[in-house]
Amino acid sequence: MAKRLSTEAVAQYRRDGFHFPVRVMSAEEARSYRDRLEAAERAAGGPLAGDRRQKVHLLYTWANELTRHPAILDAVEDVIGPNILCWGTTFFTKEARSSSFVSWHQDATYWGLSTDDVITAWVAFADAPVASGAMKFWPGSHLKNQLEHRDTFDTDNLLTRGQEIAIEVPDGAGVDVALRAGEMSLHHVLLAHGSGPNTTDDRRIGFAIRYIPPHVRQLKMRDSATLVRGRDTYGNFDPEPVPRADLDPAAIAAHRDAVERSAKALYSGTDRKQFRA
Ligand code: NI
C-alpha cells in the first residue's frame, strides 16, 4: 500500500523516470535547513565545496536528520520498498547570477552500482524557479539503458567529471523541474537530466539524497552507506556512523573515509583521487 505517492505518481515515475513536485516540508522548515546550511558555510568561510559537499550527512546532524525525514522516506519507500540505505548526499548550489551548470548526464554513469533501482530525492532549500537553473528531465530516457558519456572537467560544471551524454539531446526534450522551497523531485538513476545557469538574484540550493535498497552492490570497491529505514540483511555496504555533533572529530574521520571511497569509485579510470571544488 502506498505511503505517500499516489498510484498514478508511481506509474509516472516508472514510465517517465521521475515525479515532482512532492511537498516534504513547509517553506518555514526548508528555511530552517537553509539557515543551518548557511551557518555551516559561514563557519567554513564559503559554500561547501570539494569533499565537503559530498556525503554531507556524515558531517552535520541536520543533514543526517534530513536523510531520515519521514515525508521523504515515505515517498522513496513507495518506489524502492521498505528497506532503504542512503548511499550519498550532495549539495548542488548555484549562487545568484552565476554561470554554474550541469551538463546532460545519467547519474548511473560512474557510480558503479549493480542495479538501476537507485533513486534521487532532490530537496529544494530555496525556491528553484526555471530561471534559477532548475533541473530539466528527459522523460523516458531512463529506459534507454546506459548511454555513452564523455568527460569535460569544465570548471563551471557541478558534476564530478563534467561528464556529458555523448549524443545530442533533442531540442525541447527537457521538462523544467521548477520547485518551491520544501518540495522535492524524485528521479531514476538512468534518467538523463541537466540544468542551466542561475539568472535570478537568489541562490538555488538543492540537497540531493541518493537512496538504494540494500540488495544493491557497489561493483568497484567496498563502499559505505547509512541505513535510514527498515533492515539490511545483505551487508553489501559498511555501515556509516551518525554524527553526534556537527563536525565533531569522529564525524570528520568517518566522512574522510567515506568520501575517499566514493572518490575512488567516481574517478576510477582518471588520475584524480579527490573531489574537485
Ligand atoms: Ni545528476
Side-chain angles (χ1 to χ4, degrees):
M1 196 163 62
K3 297 193 108 165
R4 171 81 190 182
L5 301 181
S6 66
T7 310
E8 295 72 34
V10 175
Q12 191 218 350
Y13 181 89
R14 308 259 183 248
R15 183 186 69 237
D16 294 338
F18 61 83
H19 176 68
F20 75 94
V22 182
R23 177 151 296 279
V24 291
M25 63 181 78
S26 66
E28 293 69 37
E29 193 179 353
R31 180 75 230 187
S32 79
Y33 279 106
R34 176 175 180 167
D35 288 345
R36 282 176 278 183
L37 167 67
E38 292 183 339
E41 290 176 330
R42 279 191 300 278
L48 304 185
D51 286 356
R52 287 285 170 104
R53 59 179 271 260
Q54 310 286 345
K55 293 258 189 188
V56 190
H57 62 289
L58 299 182
L59 287 175
Y60 298 102
T61 53
W62 50 267
N64 199 284
E65 170 195 301
L66 190 51
T67 66
R68 302 161 195 277
H69 197 295
I72 298 174
L73 289 181
D74 285 350
V76 167
E77 177 172 340
D78 288 337
V79 178
I80 65 168
N83 300 311
I84 305 173
L85 294 168
C86 168
W87 175 67
T89 48
T90 304
F91 273 108
F92 286 93
T93 302
K94 292 176 180 170
E95 300 304 327
R97 307 262 163 209
S98 72
S99 53
S100 302
F101 71 101
V102 174
S103 48
W104 283 102
H105 68 284
Q106 293 168 305
D107 293 336
T109 309
Y110 298 110
W111 285 2
L113 300 176
S114 61
T115 73
D116 67 5
D117 44 357
V118 179
I119 185 171
T120 295
W122 196 104
V123 182
F125 277 30
D127 286 344
V130 173
S132 71
M135 284 191 290
K136 282 180 192 295
F137 289 156
W138 183 3
S141 52
H142 66 305
L143 303 174
K144 294 180 188 293
N145 295 320
Q146 182 66 60
L147 299 168
E148 199 185 319
H149 284 58
R150 54 180 169 236
D151 295 338
T152 71
F153 289 106
D154 186 320
T155 49
D156 274 341
N157 195 321
L158 292 175
L159 297 180
T160 50
R161 301 161 64 130
Q163 62 268 32
E164 61 184 22
I165 290 174
I167 59 160
E168 209 55 45
V169 175
D171 274 348
V175 170
D176 290 316
V177 189
L179 295 173
R180 306 299 304 265
E183 292 180 339
M184 72 169 176
S185 60
L186 296 170
H187 72 263
H188 185 279
V189 73
L190 281 168
L191 182 76
H193 59 289
S195 64
N198 181 359
T199 62
T200 72
D201 292 323
D202 193 15
R203 315 176 76 193
R204 190 217 64 161
I205 306 170
F207 186 58
I209 313 173
R210 325 295 190 174
Y211 292 109
I212 56 176
H215 66 82
V216 172
R217 286 173 296 119
Q218 167 59 271
L219 302 174
K220 293 189 177 182
M221 22 67 75
R222 185 75 191 171
D223 207 346
S224 63
T226 296
L227 183 67
V228 290
R229 179 173 279 185
R231 297 174 60 211
D232 175 5
T233 55
Y234 292 85
N236 291 335
F237 291 81
D238 289 338
E240 295 168 338
V242 177
R244 269 179 307 213
D246 292 348
L247 298 179
D248 83 3
I252 288 175
H255 176 260
R256 186 176 310 120
D257 171 60
V259 292
E260 277 173 12
R261 299 187 203 205
S262 311
K264 225 177 264 178
L266 269 71
Y267 288 117
S268 66
T270 78
D271 55 7
R272 283 165 194 266
K273 294 191 170 48
Q274 274 194 318
F275 287 103
R276 45 194 208 132

PDB file of all heavy atoms in Angstrom, residues 219-247:
ATOM      1  N   LEU A 219      30.086  -2.249  -7.352  1.00  0.00           N
ATOM      2  CA  LEU A 219      30.917  -3.175  -8.128  1.00  0.00           C
ATOM      3  C   LEU A 219      32.381  -2.745  -8.187  1.00  0.00           C
ATOM      4  O   LEU A 219      33.243  -3.527  -8.562  1.00  0.00           O
ATOM      5  CB  LEU A 219      30.363  -3.291  -9.553  1.00  0.00           C
ATOM      6  CG  LEU A 219      28.904  -3.776  -9.650  1.00  0.00           C
ATOM      7  CD1 LEU A 219      28.415  -3.721 -11.092  1.00  0.00           C
ATOM      8  CD2 LEU A 219      28.770  -5.187  -9.081  1.00  0.00           C
ATOM      9  N   LYS A 220      32.678  -1.503  -7.810  1.00  0.00           N
ATOM     10  CA  LYS A 220      34.051  -1.015  -7.995  1.00  0.00           C
ATOM     11  C   LYS A 220      34.954  -1.283  -6.795  1.00  0.00           C
ATOM     12  O   LYS A 220      36.143  -1.444  -6.930  1.00  0.00           O
ATOM     13  CB  LYS A 220      34.036   0.481  -8.289  1.00  0.00           C
ATOM     14  CG  LYS A 220      33.400   0.812  -9.650  1.00  0.00           C
ATOM     15  CD  LYS A 220      33.592   2.265 -10.010  1.00  0.00           C
ATOM     16  CE  LYS A 220      33.035   2.579 -11.389  1.00  0.00           C
ATOM     17  NZ  LYS A 220      33.264   3.975 -11.766  1.00  0.00           N
ATOM     18  N   MET A 221      34.386  -1.226  -5.601  1.00  0.00           N
ATOM     19  CA  MET A 221      35.186  -1.420  -4.389  1.00  0.00           C
ATOM     20  C   MET A 221      34.240  -1.582  -3.211  1.00  0.00           C
ATOM     21  O   MET A 221      33.040  -1.561  -3.370  1.00  0.00           O
ATOM     22  CB  MET A 221      36.166  -0.261  -4.122  1.00  0.00           C
ATOM     23  CG  MET A 221      35.841   1.065  -4.752  1.00  0.00           C
ATOM     24  SD  MET A 221      34.371   1.895  -4.127  1.00  0.00           S
ATOM     25  CE  MET A 221      35.000   2.481  -2.583  1.00  0.00           C
ATOM     26  N   ARG A 222      34.795  -1.769  -2.007  1.00  0.00           N
ATOM     27  CA  ARG A 222      33.977  -1.838  -0.807  1.00  0.00           C
ATOM     28  C   ARG A 222      33.541  -0.418  -0.452  1.00  0.00           C
ATOM     29  O   ARG A 222      34.368   0.458  -0.243  1.00  0.00           O
ATOM     30  CB  ARG A 222      34.792  -2.462   0.330  1.00  0.00           C
ATOM     31  CG  ARG A 222      34.011  -2.704   1.607  1.00  0.00           C
ATOM     32  CD  ARG A 222      33.076  -3.884   1.505  1.00  0.00           C
ATOM     33  NE  ARG A 222      32.152  -3.917   2.649  1.00  0.00           N
ATOM     34  CZ  ARG A 222      31.110  -4.735   2.749  1.00  0.00           C
ATOM     35  NH1 ARG A 222      30.846  -5.613   1.784  1.00  0.00           N
ATOM     36  NH2 ARG A 222      30.328  -4.690   3.791  1.00  0.00           N
ATOM     37  N   ASP A 223      32.235  -0.203  -0.383  1.00  0.00           N
ATOM     38  CA  ASP A 223      31.692   1.139  -0.200  1.00  0.00           C
ATOM     39  C   ASP A 223      30.921   1.193   1.116  1.00  0.00           C
ATOM     40  O   ASP A 223      30.718   0.169   1.770  1.00  0.00           O
ATOM     41  CB  ASP A 223      30.761   1.451  -1.381  1.00  0.00           C
ATOM     42  CG  ASP A 223      30.646   2.933  -1.683  1.00  0.00           C
ATOM     43  OD1 ASP A 223      31.060   3.750  -0.849  1.00  0.00           O
ATOM     44  OD2 ASP A 223      30.132   3.261  -2.773  1.00  0.00           O
ATOM     45  N   SER A 224      30.487   2.384   1.494  1.00  0.00           N
ATOM     46  CA  SER A 224      29.730   2.534   2.735  1.00  0.00           C
ATOM     47  C   SER A 224      28.399   3.225   2.462  1.00  0.00           C
ATOM     48  O   SER A 224      28.224   3.879   1.433  1.00  0.00           O
ATOM     49  CB  SER A 224      30.542   3.332   3.767  1.00  0.00           C
ATOM     50  OG  SER A 224      30.777   4.643   3.300  1.00  0.00           O
ATOM     51  N   ALA A 225      27.454   3.047   3.382  1.00  0.00           N
ATOM     52  CA  ALA A 225      26.130   3.653   3.265  1.00  0.00           C
ATOM     53  C   ALA A 225      25.491   3.676   4.648  1.00  0.00           C
ATOM     54  O   ALA A 225      25.959   3.027   5.578  1.00  0.00           O
ATOM     55  CB  ALA A 225      25.259   2.865   2.279  1.00  0.00           C
ATOM     56  N   THR A 226      24.409   4.445   4.768  1.00  0.00           N
ATOM     57  CA  THR A 226      23.708   4.606   6.045  1.00  0.00           C
ATOM     58  C   THR A 226      22.308   4.007   5.949  1.00  0.00           C
ATOM     59  O   THR A 226      21.534   4.403   5.075  1.00  0.00           O
ATOM     60  CB  THR A 226      23.581   6.103   6.407  1.00  0.00           C
ATOM     61  OG1 THR A 226      24.887   6.665   6.604  1.00  0.00           O
ATOM     62  CG2 THR A 226      22.767   6.291   7.680  1.00  0.00           C
ATOM     63  N   LEU A 227      22.001   3.050   6.832  1.00  0.00           N
ATOM     64  CA  LEU A 227      20.640   2.501   6.871  1.00  0.00           C
ATOM     65  C   LEU A 227      19.713   3.555   7.476  1.00  0.00           C
ATOM     66  O   LEU A 227      19.925   4.000   8.603  1.00  0.00           O
ATOM     67  CB  LEU A 227      20.611   1.222   7.710  1.00  0.00           C
ATOM     68  CG  LEU A 227      19.259   0.496   7.770  1.00  0.00           C
ATOM     69  CD1 LEU A 227      18.874  -0.087   6.402  1.00  0.00           C
ATOM     70  CD2 LEU A 227      19.292  -0.614   8.825  1.00  0.00           C
ATOM     71  N   VAL A 228      18.708   3.980   6.709  1.00  0.00           N
ATOM     72  CA  VAL A 228      17.805   5.024   7.214  1.00  0.00           C
ATOM     73  C   VAL A 228      16.396   4.509   7.478  1.00  0.00           C
ATOM     74  O   VAL A 228      15.594   5.194   8.115  1.00  0.00           O
ATOM     75  CB  VAL A 228      17.762   6.249   6.262  1.00  0.00           C
ATOM     76  CG1 VAL A 228      19.082   7.015   6.313  1.00  0.00           C
ATOM     77  CG2 VAL A 228      17.418   5.844   4.834  1.00  0.00           C
ATOM     78  N   ARG A 229      16.065   3.334   6.987  1.00  0.00           N
ATOM     79  CA  ARG A 229      14.739   2.751   7.291  1.00  0.00           C
ATOM     80  C   ARG A 229      14.792   1.244   7.046  1.00  0.00           C
ATOM     81  O   ARG A 229      15.437   0.787   6.105  1.00  0.00           O
ATOM     82  CB  ARG A 229      13.663   3.387   6.414  1.00  0.00           C
ATOM     83  CG  ARG A 229      12.276   2.802   6.658  1.00  0.00           C
ATOM     84  CD  ARG A 229      11.166   3.527   5.919  1.00  0.00           C
ATOM     85  NE  ARG A 229      10.748   4.748   6.612  1.00  0.00           N
ATOM     86  CZ  ARG A 229       9.723   5.514   6.228  1.00  0.00           C
ATOM     87  NH1 ARG A 229       9.034   5.199   5.142  1.00  0.00           N
ATOM     88  NH2 ARG A 229       9.396   6.603   6.906  1.00  0.00           N
ATOM     89  N   GLY A 230      14.083   0.496   7.895  1.00  0.00           N
ATOM     90  CA  GLY A 230      13.957  -0.950   7.695  1.00  0.00           C
ATOM     91  C   GLY A 230      15.216  -1.692   8.089  1.00  0.00           C
ATOM     92  O   GLY A 230      15.941  -1.281   8.993  1.00  0.00           O
ATOM     93  N   ARG A 231      15.502  -2.789   7.374  1.00  0.00           N
ATOM     94  CA  ARG A 231      16.619  -3.665   7.729  1.00  0.00           C
ATOM     95  C   ARG A 231      17.523  -3.888   6.530  1.00  0.00           C
ATOM     96  O   ARG A 231      17.079  -3.871   5.384  1.00  0.00           O
ATOM     97  CB  ARG A 231      16.082  -5.021   8.192  1.00  0.00           C
ATOM     98  CG  ARG A 231      15.233  -4.942   9.463  1.00  0.00           C
ATOM     99  CD  ARG A 231      14.613  -6.291   9.772  1.00  0.00           C
ATOM    100  NE  ARG A 231      15.649  -7.311   9.984  1.00  0.00           N
ATOM    101  CZ  ARG A 231      15.497  -8.595   9.700  1.00  0.00           C
ATOM    102  NH1 ARG A 231      14.373  -9.037   9.174  1.00  0.00           N
ATOM    103  NH2 ARG A 231      16.463  -9.460   9.936  1.00  0.00           N
ATOM    104  N   ASP A 232      18.783  -4.142   6.838  1.00  0.00           N
ATOM    105  CA  ASP A 232      19.743  -4.514   5.800  1.00  0.00           C
ATOM    106  C   ASP A 232      20.215  -5.929   6.110  1.00  0.00           C
ATOM    107  O   ASP A 232      21.012  -6.147   7.014  1.00  0.00           O
ATOM    108  CB  ASP A 232      20.929  -3.546   5.800  1.00  0.00           C
ATOM    109  CG  ASP A 232      22.014  -3.967   4.811  1.00  0.00           C
ATOM    110  OD1 ASP A 232      21.808  -4.955   4.067  1.00  0.00           O
ATOM    111  OD2 ASP A 232      23.077  -3.310   4.785  1.00  0.00           O
ATOM    112  N   THR A 233      19.703  -6.907   5.358  1.00  0.00           N
ATOM    113  CA  THR A 233      20.109  -8.296   5.596  1.00  0.00           C
ATOM    114  C   THR A 233      21.185  -8.725   4.605  1.00  0.00           C
ATOM    115  O   THR A 233      21.570  -9.894   4.565  1.00  0.00           O
ATOM    116  CB  THR A 233      18.894  -9.243   5.461  1.00  0.00           C
ATOM    117  OG1 THR A 233      18.304  -9.036   4.175  1.00  0.00           O
ATOM    118  CG2 THR A 233      17.867  -8.984   6.555  1.00  0.00           C
ATOM    119  N   TYR A 234      21.682  -7.798   3.793  1.00  0.00           N
ATOM    120  CA  TYR A 234      22.683  -8.122   2.763  1.00  0.00           C
ATOM    121  C   TYR A 234      24.112  -7.788   3.196  1.00  0.00           C
ATOM    122  O   TYR A 234      25.042  -8.518   2.872  1.00  0.00           O
ATOM    123  CB  TYR A 234      22.358  -7.386   1.460  1.00  0.00           C
ATOM    124  CG  TYR A 234      21.092  -7.874   0.794  1.00  0.00           C
ATOM    125  CD1 TYR A 234      19.853  -7.366   1.168  1.00  0.00           C
ATOM    126  CD2 TYR A 234      21.149  -8.851  -0.191  1.00  0.00           C
ATOM    127  CE1 TYR A 234      18.682  -7.814   0.572  1.00  0.00           C
ATOM    128  CE2 TYR A 234      19.978  -9.297  -0.797  1.00  0.00           C
ATOM    129  CZ  TYR A 234      18.759  -8.777  -0.411  1.00  0.00           C
ATOM    130  OH  TYR A 234      17.604  -9.225  -1.005  1.00  0.00           O
ATOM    131  N   GLY A 235      24.273  -6.645   3.855  1.00  0.00           N
ATOM    132  CA  GLY A 235      25.619  -6.255   4.286  1.00  0.00           C
ATOM    133  C   GLY A 235      26.552  -5.917   3.140  1.00  0.00           C
ATOM    134  O   GLY A 235      27.767  -6.091   3.245  1.00  0.00           O
ATOM    135  N   ASN A 236      25.998  -5.430   2.044  1.00  0.00           N
ATOM    136  CA  ASN A 236      26.845  -5.090   0.898  1.00  0.00           C
ATOM    137  C   ASN A 236      27.633  -3.794   1.108  1.00  0.00           C
ATOM    138  O   ASN A 236      28.559  -3.510   0.362  1.00  0.00           O
ATOM    139  CB  ASN A 236      25.991  -4.945  -0.371  1.00  0.00           C
ATOM    140  CG  ASN A 236      25.430  -6.278  -0.824  1.00  0.00           C
ATOM    141  OD1 ASN A 236      25.999  -7.328  -0.519  1.00  0.00           O
ATOM    142  ND2 ASN A 236      24.317  -6.240  -1.548  1.00  0.00           N
ATOM    143  N   PHE A 237      27.209  -3.019   2.082  1.00  0.00           N
ATOM    144  CA  PHE A 237      27.876  -1.731   2.356  1.00  0.00           C
ATOM    145  C   PHE A 237      28.269  -1.681   3.828  1.00  0.00           C
ATOM    146  O   PHE A 237      27.530  -2.151   4.693  1.00  0.00           O
ATOM    147  CB  PHE A 237      26.929  -0.555   2.050  1.00  0.00           C
ATOM    148  CG  PHE A 237      26.653  -0.409   0.579  1.00  0.00           C
ATOM    149  CD1 PHE A 237      25.692  -1.206  -0.043  1.00  0.00           C
ATOM    150  CD2 PHE A 237      27.364   0.507  -0.181  1.00  0.00           C
ATOM    151  CE1 PHE A 237      25.444  -1.088  -1.408  1.00  0.00           C
ATOM    152  CE2 PHE A 237      27.119   0.633  -1.542  1.00  0.00           C
ATOM    153  CZ  PHE A 237      26.159  -0.161  -2.157  1.00  0.00           C
ATOM    154  N   ASP A 238      29.433  -1.093   4.115  1.00  0.00           N
ATOM    155  CA  ASP A 238      29.820  -0.881   5.510  1.00  0.00           C
ATOM    156  C   ASP A 238      28.928   0.205   6.092  1.00  0.00           C
ATOM    157  O   ASP A 238      28.719   1.240   5.455  1.00  0.00           O
ATOM    158  CB  ASP A 238      31.289  -0.431   5.600  1.00  0.00           C
ATOM    159  CG  ASP A 238      32.251  -1.562   5.251  1.00  0.00           C
ATOM    160  OD1 ASP A 238      31.848  -2.734   5.350  1.00  0.00           O
ATOM    161  OD2 ASP A 238      33.403  -1.252   4.866  1.00  0.00           O
ATOM    162  N   PRO A 239      28.397  -0.041   7.313  1.00  0.00           N
ATOM    163  CA  PRO A 239      27.525   0.984   7.913  1.00  0.00           C
ATOM    164  C   PRO A 239      28.302   2.254   8.265  1.00  0.00           C
ATOM    165  O   PRO A 239      29.471   2.189   8.639  1.00  0.00           O
ATOM    166  CB  PRO A 239      26.980   0.305   9.172  1.00  0.00           C
ATOM    167  CG  PRO A 239      27.826  -0.880   9.411  1.00  0.00           C
ATOM    168  CD  PRO A 239      28.538  -1.239   8.142  1.00  0.00           C
ATOM    169  N   GLU A 240      27.623   3.382   8.146  1.00  0.00           N
ATOM    170  CA  GLU A 240      28.242   4.670   8.464  1.00  0.00           C
ATOM    171  C   GLU A 240      27.697   5.177   9.798  1.00  0.00           C
ATOM    172  O   GLU A 240      26.519   4.994  10.095  1.00  0.00           O
ATOM    173  CB  GLU A 240      27.904   5.694   7.369  1.00  0.00           C
ATOM    174  CG  GLU A 240      28.493   5.340   6.018  1.00  0.00           C
ATOM    175  CD  GLU A 240      27.939   6.177   4.862  1.00  0.00           C
ATOM    176  OE1 GLU A 240      26.832   6.730   4.993  1.00  0.00           O
ATOM    177  OE2 GLU A 240      28.622   6.272   3.836  1.00  0.00           O
ATOM    178  N   PRO A 241      28.528   5.846  10.603  1.00  0.00           N
ATOM    179  CA  PRO A 241      28.060   6.375  11.889  1.00  0.00           C
ATOM    180  C   PRO A 241      27.243   7.658  11.708  1.00  0.00           C
ATOM    181  O   PRO A 241      27.422   8.385  10.736  1.00  0.00           O
ATOM    182  CB  PRO A 241      29.356   6.668  12.641  1.00  0.00           C
ATOM    183  CG  PRO A 241      30.361   6.940  11.571  1.00  0.00           C
ATOM    184  CD  PRO A 241      29.968   6.104  10.379  1.00  0.00           C
ATOM    185  N   VAL A 242      26.374   7.908  12.680  1.00  0.00           N
ATOM    186  CA  VAL A 242      25.611   9.159  12.713  1.00  0.00           C
ATOM    187  C   VAL A 242      26.458  10.199  13.452  1.00  0.00           C
ATOM    188  O   VAL A 242      26.981   9.897  14.532  1.00  0.00           O
ATOM    189  CB  VAL A 242      24.280   8.938  13.469  1.00  0.00           C
ATOM    190  CG1 VAL A 242      23.498  10.234  13.588  1.00  0.00           C
ATOM    191  CG2 VAL A 242      23.453   7.861  12.771  1.00  0.00           C
ATOM    192  N   PRO A 243      26.626  11.401  12.893  1.00  0.00           N
ATOM    193  CA  PRO A 243      27.435  12.404  13.619  1.00  0.00           C
ATOM    194  C   PRO A 243      26.761  12.777  14.940  1.00  0.00           C
ATOM    195  O   PRO A 243      25.558  13.013  14.979  1.00  0.00           O
ATOM    196  CB  PRO A 243      27.469  13.602  12.662  1.00  0.00           C
ATOM    197  CG  PRO A 243      26.337  13.393  11.708  1.00  0.00           C
ATOM    198  CD  PRO A 243      26.088  11.920  11.631  1.00  0.00           C
ATOM    199  N   ARG A 244      27.538  12.828  16.020  1.00  0.00           N
ATOM    200  CA  ARG A 244      26.968  13.189  17.323  1.00  0.00           C
ATOM    201  C   ARG A 244      26.841  14.694  17.462  1.00  0.00           C
ATOM    202  O   ARG A 244      25.999  15.193  18.183  1.00  0.00           O
ATOM    203  CB  ARG A 244      27.828  12.623  18.451  1.00  0.00           C
ATOM    204  CG  ARG A 244      27.352  11.224  18.864  1.00  0.00           C
ATOM    205  CD  ARG A 244      28.225  10.699  19.956  1.00  0.00           C
ATOM    206  NE  ARG A 244      29.630  10.801  19.518  1.00  0.00           N
ATOM    207  CZ  ARG A 244      30.569   9.934  19.861  1.00  0.00           C
ATOM    208  NH1 ARG A 244      30.280   8.940  20.652  1.00  0.00           N
ATOM    209  NH2 ARG A 244      31.810  10.077  19.426  1.00  0.00           N
ATOM    210  N   ALA A 245      27.709  15.401  16.776  1.00  0.00           N
ATOM    211  CA  ALA A 245      27.650  16.866  16.747  1.00  0.00           C
ATOM    212  C   ALA A 245      28.222  17.293  15.401  1.00  0.00           C
ATOM    213  O   ALA A 245      28.969  16.534  14.788  1.00  0.00           O
ATOM    214  CB  ALA A 245      28.471  17.450  17.885  1.00  0.00           C
ATOM    215  N   ASP A 246      27.853  18.469  14.947  1.00  0.00           N
ATOM    216  CA  ASP A 246      28.352  18.953  13.668  1.00  0.00           C
ATOM    217  C   ASP A 246      29.883  19.006  13.695  1.00  0.00           C
ATOM    218  O   ASP A 246      30.469  19.602  14.613  1.00  0.00           O
ATOM    219  CB  ASP A 246      27.808  20.363  13.375  1.00  0.00           C
ATOM    220  CG  ASP A 246      26.305  20.333  13.120  1.00  0.00           C
ATOM    221  OD1 ASP A 246      25.745  19.228  12.938  1.00  0.00           O
ATOM    222  OD2 ASP A 246      25.702  21.423  13.094  1.00  0.00           O
ATOM    223  N   LEU A 247      30.481  18.372  12.708  1.00  0.00           N
ATOM    224  CA  LEU A 247      31.930  18.423  12.519  1.00  0.00           C
ATOM    225  C   LEU A 247      32.722  17.934  13.729  1.00  0.00           C
ATOM    226  O   LEU A 247      33.844  18.393  13.952  1.00  0.00           O
ATOM    227  CB  LEU A 247      32.375  19.851  12.167  1.00  0.00           C
ATOM    228  CG  LEU A 247      31.815  20.444  10.868  1.00  0.00           C
ATOM    229  CD1 LEU A 247      32.323  21.883  10.682  1.00  0.00           C
ATOM    230  CD2 LEU A 247      32.208  19.609   9.654  1.00  0.00           C
TER     231      LEU A 247
END
